[in-house]
Amino acid sequence: MIHPVAAFERIGEENAFAVLARATQLSAEGKDIINLGIGQPDFKTPEHIVEAAIKALRDGHHGYTPAAGLLETREAVCRRTLAMTGVEVSPDSVMIMPGGKPTMYSAIRMLGEPGTDILYPDPGFPIYRSMIEHVGANPVPVPVREENGFAFSAEETLSLITPQTRLLILNSPANPTGGVTPKSEIDRLVSGLADHPHVVILSDEIYDVMTYDGERHTSLLTYPEIRDRLIVLNGWSKTWAMTGWRMGWSIWPDDLIGYVRKLAVNCWSCVNAPSQFAGIAAIDGPQDSVNDMLAAFDRRRTLVTDRLNTLPGISCVLPKGAFYAFPNISGTGWKAKPLASALLEKAGVALIGGPDFGILGEGYIRVSCANSEANIDAAITRLGEFLEAEKG
Ligand code: PLP
């Protein structure tokens, strides 16, 4: 019997992948499954982006690129950052990463060790906590509350900072709640952070474009006073429907960029070149497909929320961002994970139990809007029928 070092006993999972595998297996067995578990857009990568990758390969771009990414791709990220936030960023601060997750890992690896605290949102993306535990740091959940519209609270976040805190992870618009933290709250947080200059901030802004009802995303980059200790995570996965391309970017402070470049050289060398050309086309090309996708998500989040709110025992806050709804199911008498699992096995509806996103996720389920309106409608009908049948 061989076994890895203890750190590998402390790696968690992203249960959405397990649910996807089970849903796929049930479908292959001929069951009629509606998948509202998935965290990736149900749209194809726009054609001009695909063409750019094919052209890059035909043009012979098959080799290594610099570890930080092609200068042209990093410059495209700078153009996009300026357009979205009004902030000028140097390509020297940008890393092209194989997806959003490697930025998470790099930041947590760089700042976490036994004896340090890392603050992360709960409920939140499960990989934050998993990686914090893996590196042996102390995970400190920052509650994200329904009564606050699933925005994080500056006051509560600041109250959790200790002299041991090395990293604070923020995520807005948020997975799994769809919460968007208003600028006023971020203003308060940043002004409070002046008293804690030892804390580095990792702002996960991968859903930055996905806000609704005129709500605007506030990038942490717009606060020059924390720029020297801010890491911004972003990427192509969600905005341009490119999850499988493994294309992300991050913006790093001067003191840390050299270390992440070295980590890249050691771990993955670089992101594949054709994807990086595709990434440029995504940023510089027409955005109609992005806008069409956002319009579809907007319609679906209203549909999901309206339909869920008609079911006894369920109440759902209208998500302000991303493409998830996070209904409160505590009135049904079900615990979230048994409900999610029974729904998949008995009613053919895949979704994720709230506890897969943290301790405070109990009493909630995550419903992804990455499916057609007809399928969403049918899935919620099944959910209602299931709850009714189980009652009787
Ligand atoms: N950050 C958040 C909040 C996410 O929801 C996800 C994916 O679901 C990621 C990062 C990871 O993105 P990627 O697939 O590009 O690694």
Side-chain angles (χ1 to χ4, degrees), residues 2 75 93 98 158 165 189 383:
I2 54 167
E75 284 173 343
S93 307
L158 292 165
T165 307
L189 178 73
L383 167 61

Side-chain angles (χ1 to χ4, degrees), residues 298-377:
D298 193 4
R299 286 192 302 275
R300 294 172 189 178
R301 83 189 165 113
T302 315
L303 172 69
V304 163
T305 309
D306 288 349
R307 289 290 325 273
L308 285 169
N309 279 325
T310 64
L311 301 183
I314 296 191
S315 63
C316 185
V317 168
L318 182 65
K320 293 197 172 107
F323 52 89
Y324 312 104
F326 204 58
N328 186 326
I329 52 107
S330 49
T332 63
W334 281 83
K335 291 265 183 216
K337 290 202 40 135
L339 176 60
S341 140
L343 271 174
L344 179 54
E345 302 297 329
K346 295 189 186 167
V349 176
L351 37 73
I352 316 284
D356 285 332
F357 301 96
I359 304 149
L360 291 173
E362 186 53 88
Y364 298 88
I365 50 175
R366 189 190 76 171
V367 182
S368 164
C369 297
N371 210 322
S372 68
E373 286 175 62
N375 280 341
I376 289 172
D377 201 50

Side-chain angles (χ1 to χ4, degrees), residues 52-93:
I54 294 169
K55 178 173 185 311
L57 274 176
R58 293 229 160 92
D59 290 349
H61 294 291
H62 56 261
Y64 291 125
T65 78
L70 292 165
L71 177 61
E72 295 89 328
T73 314
R74 286 180 284 130
E75 284 173 343
V77 165
C78 296
R79 284 193 291 281
R80 203 266 182 180
T81 305
L82 181 63
M84 284 292 288
T85 67
V87 178
E88 295 246 15
V89 166
S90 158
D92 295 340
S93 307

